[in-house]
Amino acid sequence: MLSHRITFADLVAVGCVDRHRLRNLLKNLPEFAERPANERVASEYTRHDLIVVAILCELERMGLRKEAIAKWVSPIQEALLGPRSMTVPQLFLTYDPAEAWLADEHCRLSAGVVVDLDKVLSLVDSHCTGLDGAREQQRELEFGPTSVGLSKSTAGQPRAHSHG
């Protein structure tokens, strides 16, 4: 679990674009533009949103127009909701009709666009690990389990219960 809320700044980071470019890409996408927003309160996003936005930005870098990308948003979201195989698949997109599905190395592909999910998922994972960084530093100390028995000086006193 992330240690803080996922905001637009996180979408910018995983999309590897500036705020204005990302806002311009997402402004006409109902899946992102029509989210309820409160003035002076940052909109919150999910890890799934991070992956979807990273893919959309990758498609834009490939030279695809915003209108084409917009047709794939819902299919991409749906394709990424299901379980994935242990091998990192590729995301395969067809334009007419606009469809998206995960394709492994055994899948026969026809004409379409292939997005390397390994790159996208690695980027999102490393970003999310960075968000967890403050908490994760404790793990690096590698403290082993220790006994927490009663010492001789507290043996006759009632035990204090911890509610941590």
Side-chain angles (χ1 to χ4, degrees):
M1 181 120 198
L2 298 173
S3 60
H4 81 279
R5 299 175 314 142
I6 299 173
T7 64
F8 193 78
D10 298 306
L11 298 182
V12 168
V14 298
C16 301
V17 294
D18 65 49
R19 297 178 76 81
H20 301 292
R21 188 173 186 113
L22 184 59
R23 198 172 312 281
N24 191 33
L25 176 64
L26 299 181
K27 73 180 180 186
N28 296 319
L29 304 178
E31 296 84 355
F32 291 93
E34 295 177 2
R35 290 181 182 221
N38 295 326
E39 205 171 305
R40 294 195 233 184
V41 176
S43 296
E44 290 188 48
Y45 299 92
T46 65
R47 188 178 176 111
H48 182 260
D49 293 331
L50 287 175
I51 297 169
V52 171
V53 167
I55 291 169
L56 299 180
C57 291
E58 186 67 22
L59 292 172
E60 188 179 44
R61 273 189 292 281
M62 291 174 158
L64 295 163
R65 295 177 37 197
K66 287 188 284 258
E67 297 78 22
I69 294 170
K71 290 187 175 193
W72 279 314
V73 177
S74 290
I76 289 170
Q77 288 175 321
E78 289 175 30
L80 295 173
L81 285 176
R84 291 191 283 265
S85 69
M86 292 301 286
T87 60
V88 178
Q90 297 173 332
L91 182 66
F92 185 70
L93 307 170
T94 59
Y95 189 73
D96 194 19
E99 294 179 333
W101 66 88
L102 301 178
D104 63 16
E105 64 274 359
H106 304 295
C107 184
R108 282 186 59 119
L109 302 177
S110 58
V113 176
V114 177
V115 178
D116 180 14
L117 282 183
D118 187 31
K119 175 182 174 184
V120 171
L121 295 174
S122 294
L123 181 64
V124 171
D125 287 343
S126 69
H127 180 76
C128 290
T129 301
L131 293 177
D132 284 338
R135 199 177 58 207
E136 295 297 319
Q137 288 174 355
Q138 278 300 105
R139 284 193 186 161
E140 293 175 15
L141 296 175
E142 296 183 18
F143 288 129
T146 58
S147 175
V148 287
L150 293 175
S151 67
K152 291 182 181 180
S153 62
T154 59
Q157 300 173 359
R159 280 189 166 191
H161 294 329
S162 173
H163 298 287

